[in-house]
Amino acid sequence: MMRTRPLKVALLGCGVVGSEVARIMTTHADDLTARIGAPVELAGVAVRRPSKVREGIDPALVTTDATALVKRGDIDVVIEVIGGIEPARSLITTAFEHGASVVSANKALLAQDGEDLHATALDHDADLYYEAAVAGAIPLIRPLRESLAGDKVNRVLGIVNGTTNFILDKMDSTGAGYQEALDEATALGYAEADPTADVEGFDAAAKAAILAGIAFHTRVRLDDVYREGMTEVTAADFASAKEMGCTIKLLAICERAADGGSVTARVHPAMIPLDHPLASVRGAYNAVFVESEAAGQLMFYGPGAGGAPTASAVLGDLVAVCRNRLNGATGPGDSAYTKLPVSPMGEVVTRYHISLDVADKPGVLAQVATVFAEHGVSIDTVRQSGKDGEASLVVVTHRAADAALTGTVDALRQLDTVRGVASIMRVEGE
């Protein structure tokens, strides 16, 4: 039997995503009612600027007192799309304490304080859902949390930031430099006025922490994630990548160690082979490649940001949480039973592409090869070119630990014949 009393929803934030959430709740009200088993009602919208005209939203619902809104005893679900750490954290905690479940799109908060928020939700028999926090509209959190709950995930490798993928794709396809590609991304609205969170990898690192924690059932915090931005990637790097049959992407990589005793989480630019599924992800799209023991290789692809795509993920969570509410149950919560340690970046093993500026004279290659051998780093291929006393030496290694490679590069810089290290790029996806 359909319940007639509506489930009441409080919306915190009414920007690009929040306004889309409100619009879909209104225009698809009948569909949502049929899918949930009860009507849903937008009971209040907390904003910072109440005077702004918000099409389709009753001005009587708008308030600047978000705390009072979430303290109302009749609110069933709070949707948080304001972002940041505070006041979002306090508002979500208050919502739990006053009997509401929460749907959030706040990756930064979940990466930093997910453990405490899950614990508070559990204490108050409430749900905490956050599909929209990672990869926008792409269903990813729920498949990892539910569909693959009976499997063992070993690796999650993905493009989880549309801005950086747009920039790198432009550099690859047009030969543009970093600044030129960034300027185009800004003009088209893909990059913020201050793109630091995107291009320096902070956004992707928060998402990597969330993904690693869910995939490996362990505690991974933002500070555990190695982060390296993409601002130093050059057109020359793309030229080198093409010579190897590769392209360059900013990747979030979460891996379980071969012995199963630890995990790693990292974000950095990397070369990937052109025949890898992630190499063909263009523009501002996101894609995540999951490797598990039973299911094998899975790829999730789609728009990773934007008002409507992100709102789609929020509304999917809203339906699930409302169904749980009607059934007097809660969905899957925090799962960190494995308590696996997070290994430092120095222990990560991968291949490397190193470009050196060297003197063009006999014996240089032998000196360089000796340094690699002394540090236990095996060379796969070497390419040398040059004239007029200067040369470029490109070395691609076999798999080696990051710490060993760092020691190798430090030693190379001490050679009189090495003028400089032009670039170091990891090679992934092989």
Side-chain angles (χ1 to χ4, degrees):
M1 179 181 293
M2 181 76 69
R3 187 176 106 164
T4 57
R5 184 178 72 79
L7 291 158
K8 293 191 176 183
V9 178
L11 178 61
L12 307 183
C14 198
V16 173
V17 176
S19 60
E20 280 295 312
V21 169
R23 181 189 67 78
I24 296 172
M25 285 185 65
T26 301
T27 59
H28 294 180
D30 291 342
D31 288 333
L32 291 172
T33 297
R35 293 166 188 171
I36 292 169
V40 288
E41 174 189 311
L42 188 59
V45 181
V47 300
R48 286 184 298 176
R49 295 186 295 275
S51 60
K52 181 180 177 181
V53 176
R54 294 172 173 85
E55 186 177 350
I57 297 178
D58 183 351
L61 297 177
V62 176
T63 178
T64 57
D65 194 344
T67 301
L69 178 59
V70 299
K71 282 184 175 181
R72 283 174 46 176
D74 62 337
I75 298 297
D76 294 287
V77 183
V78 171
I79 297 175
E80 183 272 310
V81 288
I82 56 179
I85 305 302
E86 286 292 357
R89 174 172 52 197
S90 296
L91 291 170
I92 290 174
T93 300
T94 301
F96 290 142
E97 292 170 349
H98 286 77
S101 289
V102 173
V103 173
S104 176
N106 195 330
K107 54 189 170 288
L109 177 59
L110 289 159
Q112 177 175 303
D113 295 314
E115 179 182 5
D116 291 341
L117 292 176
H118 273 293
T120 305
L122 181 63
D123 287 343
H124 295 278
D125 295 321
D127 273 324
L128 174 60
Y129 275 53
Y130 42 91
E131 184 68 65
V134 180
I138 304 172
L140 184 58
I141 300 297
R142 192 172 287 112
L144 285 173
R145 244 186 6 172
E146 300 178 31
S147 303
L148 296 174
D151 205 344
K152 181 180 181 182
V153 176
N154 292 318
R155 195 173 196 228
V156 179
L157 173 76
I159 299 164
V160 295
N161 183 277
T163 299
T164 55
N165 199 58
F166 179 89
I167 293 170
L168 292 173
D169 184 36
K170 280 296 176 182
M171 294 176 70
D172 184 28
S173 60
T174 69
Y178 166 75
Q179 190 60 51
E180 182 183 352
L182 172 60
D183 290 344
E184 182 174 353
T186 304
L188 292 173
Y190 291 122
E192 301 286 346
D194 180 1
T196 303
D198 295 322
V199 300
E200 294 294 352
F202 291 101
D203 175 84
K207 295 170 182 176
I210 295 170
L211 289 174
I214 295 172
F216 307 133
H217 302 280
T218 194
R219 188 74 58 215
V220 180
R221 298 178 177 83
L222 183 57
D223 291 345
D224 295 323
V225 182
Y226 171 83
R227 179 193 54 80
E228 184 181 318
M230 48 156 281
T231 58
E232 300 301 318
V233 176
T234 66
D237 291 326
F238 274 100
S240 293
K242 287 180 179 179
E243 290 180 359
M244 290 179 59
C246 293
T247 189
I248 299 172
K249 300 290 186 181
L250 184 75
L251 298 178
I253 305 170
C254 311
E255 293 179 305
R256 189 191 300 268
D259 63 4
S262 64
V263 299
T264 59
R266 51 198 165 102
V267 169
H268 54 72
M271 294 181 180
I272 58 172
L274 293 175
D275 60 1
H276 192 282
L278 292 178
S280 60
V281 178
R282 302 295 183 187
Y285 275 69
N286 284 190
V288 178
F289 201 72
V290 177
E291 300 175 8
S292 68
E293 286 194 356
Q297 297 179 331
L298 307 170
M299 183 161 143
F300 302 84
Y301 169 84
T310 305
S312 171
V314 169
L315 267 296
D317 278 351
L318 176 64
V319 170
V321 169
C322 286
R323 286 173 175 169
N324 291 341
R325 195 98 177 163
L326 289 177
N327 293 326
T330 56
D334 195 19
S335 174
Y337 68 91
T338 64
K339 296 181 172 60
L340 295 173
V342 182
S343 297
M345 187 62 189
E347 296 179 13
V348 171
V349 176
T350 189
R351 296 181 68 204
Y352 293 86
H353 175 284
I354 305 102
S355 180
L356 305 172
D357 295 326
V358 299
D360 187 15
K361 63 182 185 180
V364 172
L365 180 56
Q367 285 184 326
V368 169
T370 297
V371 169
F372 275 87
E374 288 174 347
H375 288 80
V377 179
S378 177
I379 293 175
D380 182 16
T381 63
V382 178
R383 186 175 68 255
Q384 185 173 6
S385 61
K387 60 180 180 179
D388 301 328
E390 298 296 330
S392 175
L393 190 65
V394 175
V395 178
V396 179
T397 74
H398 288 289
R399 291 175 63 82
D402 188 85
L405 194 281
T406 299
T408 302
V409 172
D410 288 343
L412 288 171
R413 288 192 170 105
Q414 304 305 312
L415 296 178
D416 292 339
T417 51
V418 174
R419 310 297 192 210
V421 179
S423 70
I424 303 171
M425 186 82 61
R426 295 172 182 87
V427 183
E428 301 285 349
E430 295 184 315

